[in-house]
Amino acid sequence: MPDGLPTEIDLTRPSAARVYDYFLGGAHNFEIDRRLAEQIASMTPNLAATMRSGREFLRRAVRALLDAGIDQFLDIGSGIPTVGNVHEVAQGANPKARVVYVDIDPVAVAHSRELLAGNDLTGVIHADLRDPERILAETRELGLIDFSRPMGILLAGVVHFIPDADRPEDVLATLRAAAAPGSFLVISHSTFEDQPQEMLDAQRLSARTDTEITLRSRAQITGFFGDWTVLDPGVVHMPLWRPDSPSDVDEHPERFGAFGGVARYDQPAG
């Protein structure tokens, strides 16, 4: 296997995590992933910019959580390590910040463990978001995150990989129920709203990977926050969520094809 990767990795099918890595300029992808990525890119030339917009949204959200005092993060669907990962942002601001990465893709997990070797404040779990109980149990076993204290649950570009039949609302409810008051939930999610037909056609190519994308409305995505308090400016097209400067906002932020939002678990009155 290339790079000493586990033999169970299937190189006959493209991987969503490796396609994503390719669009971000990473090196952890194979020819079959690049072929699919290039086919998608031929239909939607701005897709690499869309991927970068998603990473930029995540970094801004993590900085907002750090400003709110959060020092522990559970990043589910973290993908293959790229520049500006959550631990780099968090530990750059707070060297004691703790991060647990979770991904379903064995390539993403293998490279994450290699990258993070020697960083005792990070951990990596190989698990499926559709099994939140396992994720929570293995996170507790790692001992990096204290569930009695506020934490940041990060779901950037991953919930849209759960089909409606697998009841993503129940998955999110399980994760929210495990969090202490003062915790935050970050979600970015692909949408069909305001999208041209070619973008919708390209999204459907995801059916060729092991993780097909389900596009959802702003209302559906907002519902994943449950009764948590959605922070300003709400669930918006990703570039519109607290941009670093007005010049960072594209003239057509909807072209990036996804909404992003952050919510806080406020202590119930009484």
Side-chain angles (χ1 to χ4, degrees), residues 2 6 41 50 77 80 117 126 144 154 267 269:
T50 297
I80 294 172
H126 183 202
L144 289 171
L154 312 178
Q267 180 73 51

Side-chain angles (χ1 to χ4, degrees), residues 78-133:
S78 51
I80 294 172
T82 57
V83 175
N85 256 357
V86 171
H87 74 279
E88 293 177 333
V89 176
Q91 294 175 354
N94 179 356
K96 295 183 178 180
R98 298 166 181 262
V99 181
V100 173
Y101 290 113
V102 183
D103 205 274
I104 190 175
D105 190 303
V107 173
V109 171
H111 282 295
S112 294
R113 287 175 174 160
E114 180 182 7
L115 175 73
L116 298 171
N119 188 330
D120 295 336
L121 298 182
T122 62
V124 184
I125 294 171
H126 183 202
D128 189 332
L129 174 57
R130 292 171 295 184
D131 191 357
E133 292 88 353

Side-chain angles (χ1 to χ4, degrees), residues 51-72:
M51 300 295 186
R52 289 192 293 271
S53 179
R55 296 297 292 189
E56 290 162 3
F57 161 75
L58 176 60
R59 287 193 285 269
R60 294 196 305 275
V62 169
R63 291 200 300 268
L65 269 56
L66 288 163
D67 289 344
I70 298 298
D71 61 2
Q72 49 182 4

Side-chain angles (χ1 to χ4, degrees), residues 26 47 64 73 75 123 154 168 220:
L47 193 57
F73 300 85
D75 184 0
L154 312 178
Q220 289 174 302

Side-chain angles (χ1 to χ4, degrees), residues 11-255:
L11 297 185
T12 67
R13 287 177 58 83
S15 153
R18 297 193 303 259
V19 169
Y20 182 59
D21 174 72
Y22 174 81
F23 278 121
L24 290 173
H28 307 307
N29 50 78
F30 305 118
E31 180 61 28
I32 194 164
D33 309 303
R34 294 189 283 272
R35 286 202 301 267
L36 177 58
E38 289 163 5
Q39 183 179 356
I40 296 172
S42 70
M43 302 171 66
T44 55
N46 71 318
L47 193 57
T50 297
M51 300 295 186
R52 289 192 293 271
S53 179
R55 296 297 292 189
E56 290 162 3
F57 161 75
L58 176 60
R59 287 193 285 269
R60 294 196 305 275
V62 169
R63 291 200 300 268
L65 269 56
L66 288 163
D67 289 344
I70 298 298
D71 61 2
Q72 49 182 4
F73 300 85
L74 178 59
D75 184 0
I76 306 175
S78 51
I80 294 172
T82 57
V83 175
N85 256 357
V86 171
H87 74 279
E88 293 177 333
V89 176
Q91 294 175 354
N94 179 356
K96 295 183 178 180
R98 298 166 181 262
V99 181
V100 173
Y101 290 113
V102 183
D103 205 274
I104 190 175
D105 190 303
V107 173
V109 171
H111 282 295
S112 294
R113 287 175 174 160
E114 180 182 7
L115 175 73
L116 298 171
N119 188 330
D120 295 336
L121 298 182
T122 62
V124 184
I125 294 171
H126 183 202
D128 189 332
L129 174 57
R130 292 171 295 184
D131 191 357
E133 292 88 353
R134 175 184 170 186
I135 290 173
L136 294 169
E138 293 195 16
T139 299
R140 289 188 174 96
E141 288 175 8
L142 282 177
L144 289 171
I145 290 181
D146 179 355
F147 280 79
S148 70
R149 297 175 52 244
M151 65 176 170
I153 302 173
L154 312 178
L155 297 169
V158 63
V159 181
H160 50 225
F161 291 124
I162 303 181
D164 293 338
D166 287 337
R167 299 189 61 80
E169 63 275 12
D170 292 347
V171 171
L172 269 292
T174 298
L175 293 173
R176 293 196 309 270
S183 294
F184 290 82
L185 175 60
V186 176
I187 298 175
S188 60
H189 192 301
S190 294
T191 184
F192 55 80
E193 291 189 9
D194 307 322
Q195 299 308 299
Q197 188 59 47
E198 58 266 25
M199 175 64 81
L200 302 181
D201 291 341
Q203 295 278 23
R204 292 190 182 97
L205 286 178
S206 68
R208 291 178 49 190
T209 73
D210 290 326
T211 44
E212 182 176 357
I213 290 174
T214 298
L215 304 177
R216 295 186 172 97
S217 68
R218 185 200 305 259
Q220 289 174 302
I221 297 165
T222 302
F224 292 140
F225 292 108
D227 60 357
W228 289 24
T229 302
V230 177
L231 305 187
D232 290 336
V235 177
V236 296
H237 290 293
M238 293 187 299
L240 298 176
W241 199 90
R242 302 190 182 183
D244 292 328
S245 72
S247 62
D248 291 338
V249 179
D250 189 86
E251 289 184 1
H252 298 284
E254 73 280 356
R255 76 184 179 94

